[in-house]
Amino acid sequence: MNILIGTKNKGKIEGAKKAFERYFEDVTIEGIGVESEVADQPINDEILQGAQNRVKNLKKYAKENNLEADFFVAMESGITDKFGTWLNLTTVYIENKDEEGAVGFGPAYPIPARYIEEIKEKELSYVLARLFENKEIKAPKGGIVQLTHGQVTRIDLAEQAFIMALTHFINGEIWK
């Protein structure tokens, strides 16, 4: 099983690999840096759009470089207030080689309103780095490892989001 993922982020790659390995054998995954075409700090609809854009750009890169894959995948995290409170939401988009797509979401966590404007200006990772005085907060474990006191990592969030999207592909016609 050959998978291309639209990122070089080791945490996202590891989370995707762990998810696919739960259902498929001989999983190989290659990270390729592609653009999301959304803001560095995605907000609301930009979150899903960023993941879909990464897959689109990943497929274009694969075609131009004669790369084949069984799945093209991407993950985008961002902030949303669509549910009445600010949350950080992990979103993935998966497309198989037949151009059949699926979306999945990982666990979301709350963000205090007092940090929203700063996050919009600088990105969540910078705000968390400032609050926790940690320069390495972005990769590979992410800021969530600080917020959960070491109990959850970006790898975990990615794995769960990819599993949710994979439900479309692992259940045959019953779930399509």
Side-chain angles (χ1 to χ4, degrees), residues 91-104:
T91 303
V92 303
Y93 181 67
I94 297 175
E95 217 175 86
N96 67 12
K97 60 186 173 188
D98 298 324
E99 298 187 346
E100 185 178 358
V103 175

Side-chain angles (χ1 to χ4, degrees), residues 3-9 13 29-33 58:
I3 300 158
L4 296 178
I5 184 170
T7 187
K8 289 285 195 179
N9 181 291
I13 293 168
I29 186 164
E30 181 181 354
I32 297 169
L58 184 62

Side-chain angles (χ1 to χ4, degrees), residues 69-85:
D70 298 296
F71 288 96
F72 300 88
V73 306
M75 177 178 139
E76 196 76 32
S77 293
I79 60 173
T80 183
D81 63 350
K82 296 255 185 191
F83 305 102
T85 188

Side-chain angles (χ1 to χ4, degrees), residues 1-22 27-34 54 58 71-77 90-92 94 138-142 153-163 166:
M1 169 85 34
N2 189 31
I3 300 158
L4 296 178
I5 184 170
T7 187
K8 289 285 195 179
N9 181 291
K10 291 178 182 176
K12 293 177 182 181
I13 293 168
E14 182 63 24
K17 189 172 193 309
K18 287 175 78 170
F20 275 88
E21 285 177 336
R22 288 178 179 266
V27 172
T28 60
I29 186 164
E30 181 181 354
I32 297 169
V34 293
R54 285 183 192 275
L58 184 62
F71 288 96
F72 300 88
V73 306
M75 177 178 139
E76 196 76 32
S77 293
T90 299
T91 303
V92 303
I94 297 175
K138 204 166 187 175
K141 293 184 178 182
T153 68
R154 171 180 280 153
I155 296 165
D156 300 325
L157 295 177
E159 180 181 10
Q160 293 301 305
F162 278 104
I163 289 171
L166 282 170

Side-chain angles (χ1 to χ4, degrees), residues 33-48:
V34 293
E35 292 297 317
S36 68
E37 300 176 19
V38 297
D40 289 340
Q41 179 56 69
I43 301 171
N44 291 322
D45 294 342
E46 288 182 319
I47 306 167
L48 176 57

Side-chain angles (χ1 to χ4, degrees), residues 135-151:
K135 305 262 189 268
E136 298 296 320
I137 208 141
K138 204 166 187 175
K141 293 184 178 182
I144 191 63
V145 77
Q146 298 291 330
L147 291 171
T148 62
H149 297 223
Q151 297 304 302

